[in-house]
Amino acid sequence: MLNIASSLKSYFTPSYSWVPSSNTKQDDSIYSKQFAGKLLLRQEIPLDDPTLNELLHNNLFTTLDSIEKYIWGHRCRRCGNKKKHLFANIPCARCNHTHLYCRKCIEMGRVLECEPLYYWTGSSPTWLEQEEPCGWSGELTRHQQVASDRIKEMMIKGNSELLCWAVCGAGKTEMLFDGISAAIKLGKRVCLATPRADVVRELLPRFRIAFPNTEIEALYGGSEEKQGAAQLIIATTHQLLRFAHAFDVMIIDEIDAFPFHADSSLPFAAKRAVKPSAATIYLTATPRKQQKRRIEAKTLPTVFVPVRFHGHPLPIPKLQMSFTLNKSLNANLPPTSFMKWYQHYRINPNRQLLIFVAKIELAEPLVESLISLHIASGKDEITSVHAADPDREIKVQQFREQKLKLLVTTTILERGVTFPSVDVVVFDAGHQVFDEAALVQIAGRAGRSPDDPTGEVIFYHSGKTDAMVEAVHSIIRMNRKGRRL
Amino acid sequence: MYCLWCDEEILVEVNWTNFLLPDRPKQLCEACEKSLQRIEGAICKLCGRPSDVEVCMDCERWENDAGWKGVLTFNRSVFQYNSRMKEMIARWKYRGDYALLEAFRETIIKTFNQTFVQVRKDTILVPIPLSEERLFERGFNQAEALANLTGLPCENRLSRIHTEKQSKKTRSDRLATTNPFKIETKIDRPVILIDDIYTTGITLRHAASLLKKHGCPKVYSFTLVR
Ligand SMILES: [Zn+2]
Ligand SMILES: [Zn+2]
Ligand SMILES: [Zn+2]
């Protein structure tokens, strides 16, 4: 009975007790840096068989079952997958048996039932001792300073969680420097995980400048560095699937963002990647219901940064009803009220314009019709972009350099990208892809620069939705909070 | 059911035709199904690619070469090698997502049976083998997995000498290489060679010429994509 009960419990709430406790003895062997805190497939260990066997023999590596078996199902220990349809059978030529493999995490190398995961149980790595790791000397605003102090306190203390609720454009990276510096001084290992590879690429040089003597590595699908052997790791959340009990400090950026929000294997991996004594900091501009509930119940310590680094309030979206919206969009035309606004009422026609649409299929036809309506003179002024667009990065870069006047986009540009001076409109803001978080993020694209800290945001819709109303409320609330503090 | 490719849930509409006799569950969602292109209509009668001319340029080159003329009677393939198919084959073969083959099962069987209805009775299926190293790496031979779908007798009569990855070579590199196969046992009956991809046709022709040299009267080939 006891067995079934504990088995049930560990099936529903994953425990990570199967991860061997790490060896606290420290040394500076290359292996401990390279392998400590990693959960690896055989092909991810670049050692020949005799070398690996010797390490296993000396208990420096330990093998673990890769798939947990329960009477009623399975769980992949690397990605946490429990879904039946994401396991399949393979007549395996390695062991000549037919058995399970995990389909969920197969893009990172296949987890076969017949093969173990390898975990380093040798000594822990030591890192360079530093008196003052941080070379950044900029100044924080009053609000940033409050958050920075809290973050630092948590990182030193460990054993804690902290949510940092900072508006779009609050300058969150700078708020982390002080805490990370203190953690590095204490010899802690730090990971900053973010959902998007472009953010990793953007952050890496900034951290290299801020922490010039610290070993820093960037990990993302297709990154040059694959080792994950540094003290400070900046990674996409997917990369956490290769770690177990590795970090003393974990910072998870955009906790509410797709795919972290939608893919249950990422929270599973994030929890496993930290040591039991770790400090975990969550960053978000738009917390989800689940997190808001915990904030209200005061079970998740929270610090607010309600003001942008330049001190100006967030632009408040205008809701513009259009009875003919669907008719217009079905004909690949912009709403009539948009035309009126664009031609007569725009406050600053020199700004660039970001147009958000709900569906990819609308993007390119809309570009065509905006040209024929003389909103743009031609393809040198306007283009469209979507998730699977191979030229996505180039187009975004062109827009950032103000080579384009207008950009039609799907929700992929809702977050993470900063343009200095834009107005933002959403066509069919009532569509289900635009939930509250998405709309707040979209509105947050405007007014990012101190040189042009305002910007117009208009949601065109054919009927108000809760998401729109909530988004506006939450922006107003944040502005109010910012005035008060 | 969930789509084998994108993992979207597939909702099955129950109506009076499938109320009592449920359809075989769909393996791909509608969008993914649509992204695949079957090879239908006019094709090159030799290599089986979509073509307006009876024999395509590539095949003409093969047939004008005395060394290769008639080595392969004809090839037929199920799908075009479009960008989605490239992604799917990469996950199936290189990542080793064995179950993905189920997405193509019905179409493969249908195309195979239509193509080989006259000859299937006394032919033997021979999958293009992998080297031992490659087989260990992938965990399965994709050509053998394909062959097993047809229900016909399938025999490993060939073996492969380990060389570097085909995909890293250029066309001229591949044409210049010596025959990578070895024959294990002779066959005196017609053979249908099975492989996942017909690209230049060199791999299949190497296998075919070796079989013929050892007494095989006729060699056809069948691949998932062309
Ligand atoms: Zn898995
Ligand atoms: Zn096996
Ligand atoms: Zn041809």
Side-chain angles (χ1 to χ4, degrees), chain A residues 396-408:
Chain A
V396 171
Q397 194 52 36
Q398 283 174 338
F399 191 72
R400 191 174 286 137
E401 289 165 4
Q402 309 195 319
K403 287 180 185 152
L404 293 163
K405 232 172 79 182
L406 296 96
L407 184 59
V408 180

Side-chain angles (χ1 to χ4, degrees), chain A residues 76-81 86-87 102-106 111:
Chain A
C76 171
R77 275 189 170 159
R78 185 171 59 174
C79 74
N81 170 36
L86 291 177
F87 287 106
C102 178
R103 300 192 63 225
K104 174 90 186 254
C105 58
I106 199 157
V111 170

Side-chain angles (χ1 to χ4, degrees), chain B residues 120-168:
Chain B
R120 51 179 294 180
K121 224 174 30 225
D122 40 38
T123 50
I124 295 179
L125 266 50
V126 176
I128 294 294
L130 295 177
S131 68
E132 261 176 64
E133 289 89 337
R134 194 73 64 227
L135 181 62
F136 182 85
E137 192 183 290
R138 297 202 183 139
F140 69 98
N141 177 353
Q142 73 278 359
E144 207 175 317
L146 274 167
N148 287 335
L149 292 184
T150 63
L152 292 192
C154 160
E155 292 176 24
N156 288 307
R157 298 291 181 102
L158 298 170
S159 65
R160 192 180 198 129
I161 306 145
H162 186 66
T163 50
E164 58 174 308
K165 280 188 178 144
Q166 278 285 328
S167 50
K168 285 192 182 147

Side-chain angles (χ1 to χ4, degrees), chain A residues 138-239:
Chain A
E139 260 186 56
L140 297 176
T141 65
R142 191 160 46 89
H143 298 290
Q144 283 177 315
Q145 190 65 54
V146 171
S148 169
D149 290 347
R150 279 289 293 285
I151 289 170
K152 180 178 172 184
E153 183 195 333
M154 292 289 168
M155 286 186 181
I156 293 173
K157 197 172 77 174
N159 266 316
S160 55
E161 286 182 304
L162 177 70
L163 178 83
C164 178
W165 184 346
V167 294
C168 304
K172 57 189 173 181
T173 310
E174 291 78 11
M175 294 187 273
L176 299 171
F177 286 160
D178 215 13
I180 293 177
S181 179
I184 288 173
K185 229 187 280 183
L186 291 168
K188 294 187 184 224
R189 198 172 184 193
V190 180
C191 176
L192 195 167
T194 177
R196 297 144 52 103
D198 17 349
V199 178
V200 176
R201 281 193 292 264
E202 187 203 306
L203 288 178
L204 181 67
R206 292 171 68 187
F207 274 87
R208 287 236 161 102
I209 293 169
F211 298 97
N213 299 316
T214 306
E215 292 176 63
I216 305 178
E217 253 184 76
L219 300 178
Y220 51 91
S223 62
E224 286 160 39
E225 296 143 337
K226 281 274 181 214
Q227 290 229 315
Q231 184 175 13
L232 173 54
I233 298 230
I234 305 171
T236 52
T237 30
H238 263 108
Q239 297 295 323

Side-chain angles (χ1 to χ4, degrees), chain A residues 291-424:
Chain A
Q291 291 127 18
K292 281 188 186 165
R293 221 177 289 135
R294 288 188 63 196
I295 298 168
E296 275 156 31
K298 296 203 166 26
T299 58
L300 182 59
T302 305
V303 58
F304 292 93
V305 188
V307 181
R308 294 182 150 182
F309 77 95
H310 57 47
H312 294 266
L314 300 160
I316 297 165
K318 228 173 81 193
L319 305 188
Q320 180 63 57
M321 172 75 182
S322 165
F323 289 106
T324 53
L325 180 83
N326 292 326
K327 213 174 112 195
S328 304
L329 293 182
N330 285 340
N332 298 323
L333 292 170
T336 43
S337 40
F338 164 82
M339 293 300 290
K340 222 178 281 163
W341 169 75
Y342 191 87
Q343 285 158 341
H344 305 293
Y345 300 113
R346 244 185 128 185
I347 294 165
N348 180 355
N350 291 326
R351 285 187 195 126
Q352 289 170 284
L353 181 64
L354 262 178
I355 300 175
F356 283 86
V357 293
K359 288 182 273 184
I360 303 179
E361 301 83 61
L362 183 59
E364 205 35 49
L366 197 62
V367 167
E368 301 291 338
S369 56
L370 287 170
I371 292 171
S372 56
L373 289 164
H374 305 294
I375 297 288
S377 62
K379 290 270 167 83
D380 52 336
E381 277 193 353
I382 183 170
T383 189
S384 72
V385 65
H386 58 89
D389 190 338
D391 299 329
R392 173 175 148 184
E393 268 177 60
I394 302 166
K395 288 173 173 178
V396 171
Q397 194 52 36
Q398 283 174 338
F399 191 72
R400 191 174 286 137
E401 289 165 4
Q402 309 195 319
K403 287 180 185 152
L404 293 163
K405 232 172 79 182
L406 296 96
L407 184 59
V408 180
T409 175
T410 57
T411 54
I412 53 143
L413 291 191
E414 77 178 35
R415 54 174 86 215
V417 283
T418 310
F419 306 112
S421 176
V422 290
D423 285 332
V424 181

Side-chain angles (χ1 to χ4, degrees), chain A residues 85 93-94 101 103 107 110, chain B residues 4 97 99 136-139:
Chain A
H85 73 274
R94 292 192 189 176
Y101 70 98
R103 300 192 63 225
E107 286 298 331
R110 184 178 48 193
Chain B
L4 268 178
D97 191 358
F136 182 85
E137 192 183 290
R138 297 202 183 139

